C-alpha cells in the first residue's frame, strides 16, 4: 500500500521547514500515487503543537476552516478524520510536545478533500495492519478504523523530512436535479 519515495510526485509546495528545525530541509507536500487525481482547487495549511491538545485543536480547526471554506464534504466527519491523523502524528512520531506538526487541507477539482499530516518519522510500522484492523466485539475502536468508517481512504508515503499520512474524503452526494429539494407534505 505504500509507494517508494522515488515514485512520489509533488502536488503543491509548502512553506513548512522540516520538523527538526533545519531550514534547509524544506520538503514539498506529496501525494501518494493512485490516491489523488487532479490539481488542487483550494488549499490551506496550519501547524499544531504535538502536545496532548493536538488532536482536539486539529479537529476544531478543521471544522471551523472547512465550514468557512464551504466545501462539499461532511465537515464533521472531516474534522474527526483530521483529528485522528493529528493524534497519530503527535503520539507516534516521537517529537517533543513543543514541536509543530504541519497539517494541510486540499480541495481537489473533483470535489474530494485531501487532509494530510507530515511528521518526522519516516516509517509507519504496521501500516497495513492499522488500516485493515477491525475491532472485536466490545473492543474500543481505533483512530484509523474510525477514519475508514467515515469514508476516508488512508495512505502514507516517506519523504526526505519524514512521512506524509493522507486521508482522501469523497464529496457529498448531490441530489438529482429532477427530484424536489423539499418533499410535498399534506
Amino acid at each position: 500500500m505504500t509507494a517508494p519515495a522515488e515514485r512520489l510526485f509533488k502536488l503543491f509546495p509548502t512553506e513548512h521547514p522540516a520538523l527538526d528545525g533545519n531550514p534547509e530541509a524544506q520538503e514539498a507536500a506529496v501525494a501518494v500515487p493512485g490516491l489523488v487525481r487532479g490539481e488542487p482547487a483550494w488549499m490551506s495549511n496550519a501547524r499544531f503543537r504535538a502536545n496532548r491538545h493536538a488532536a482536539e485543536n486539529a479537529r476544531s480547526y478543521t471544522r471551523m476552516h472547512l465550514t468557512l471554506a464551504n466545501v462539499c464534504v461532511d465537515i464533521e466527519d472531516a474534522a474527526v478524520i483530521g483529528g485522528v491523523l493529528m493524534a497519530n502524528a503527535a503520539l507516534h512520531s516521537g517529537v517533543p510536545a513543543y514541536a509543530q506538526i504541519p497539517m494541510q487541507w486540499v480541495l481537489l477539482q473533483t470535489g474530494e478533500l485531501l487532509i494530510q499530516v507530515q511528521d518526522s518519522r519516516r516509517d509507519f510500522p504496521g501500516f497495513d495492519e492499522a488500516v485493515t484492523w477491525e475491532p472485536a466485539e466490545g473492543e474500543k475502536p481505533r483512530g484509523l478504523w474510525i477514519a475508514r468508517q467515515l469514508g476516508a481512504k488512508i495512505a502514507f508515503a516517506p519523504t526526505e523530512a519524514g512521512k506524509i499520512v493522507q486521508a482522501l474524503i469523497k464529496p457529498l452526494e448531490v441530489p438529482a436535479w429532477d427530484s424536489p429539494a423539499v418533499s410535498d407534505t399534506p
Side-chain angles (χ1 to χ4, degrees):
M1 289 186 87
T2 61
E6 62 270 10
R7 291 181 47 208
L8 301 177
F9 60 94
K10 294 180 181 186
L11 179 62
F12 56 91
T14 65
E15 298 175 10
H16 300 304
L19 291 176
D20 63 4
N22 180 358
E24 295 174 2
Q26 296 252 341
E27 181 64 32
V30 297
V32 176
L35 182 64
V36 174
R37 299 156 302 283
E39 293 296 316
W42 167 87
M43 64 182 173
S44 182
N45 55 57
R47 295 180 188 206
F48 299 94
R49 295 244 182 246
N51 60 28
R52 62 187 176 95
H53 304 291
E56 182 56 37
N57 290 340
R59 192 170 26 255
S60 296
Y61 187 87
T62 298
R63 182 180 300 113
M64 178 206 59
H65 203 60
L66 295 181
T67 299
L68 292 174
N70 200 24
V71 297
C72 193
V73 299
D74 187 309
I75 292 173
E76 288 303 314
D77 288 354
V80 170
I81 292 165
V84 163
L85 295 182
M86 184 56 65
N88 281 349
L91 183 62
H92 300 296
S93 66
V95 296
Y98 59 82
Q100 294 186 358
I101 299 175
M103 185 171 184
Q104 298 173 318
W105 302 264
V106 180
L107 182 64
L108 301 173
Q109 303 221 0
T110 61
E112 296 167 305
L113 178 70
L114 179 70
I115 301 175
Q116 59 184 24
V117 175
Q118 178 181 345
D119 70 56
S120 61
R121 185 172 177 173
R122 194 168 164 77
D123 64 339
F124 194 134
F127 175 76
D128 293 334
E129 293 81 23
V131 295
T132 58
W133 177 85
E134 295 285 333
E137 188 174 328
E139 192 173 7
K140 185 178 177 183
R142 296 180 191 165
L144 292 181
W145 180 83
I146 293 168
R148 281 190 8 255
Q149 291 302 111
L150 295 174
K153 289 184 182 178
I154 309 292
F156 93 96
T159 66
E160 290 177 16
K163 74 174 169 291
I164 299 280
V165 180
Q166 299 176 321
L168 184 68
I169 304 167
K170 296 283 183 191
L172 294 172
E173 297 276 331
V174 178
W177 288 106
D178 60 345
S179 63
V182 178
S183 61
D184 293 331
T185 56

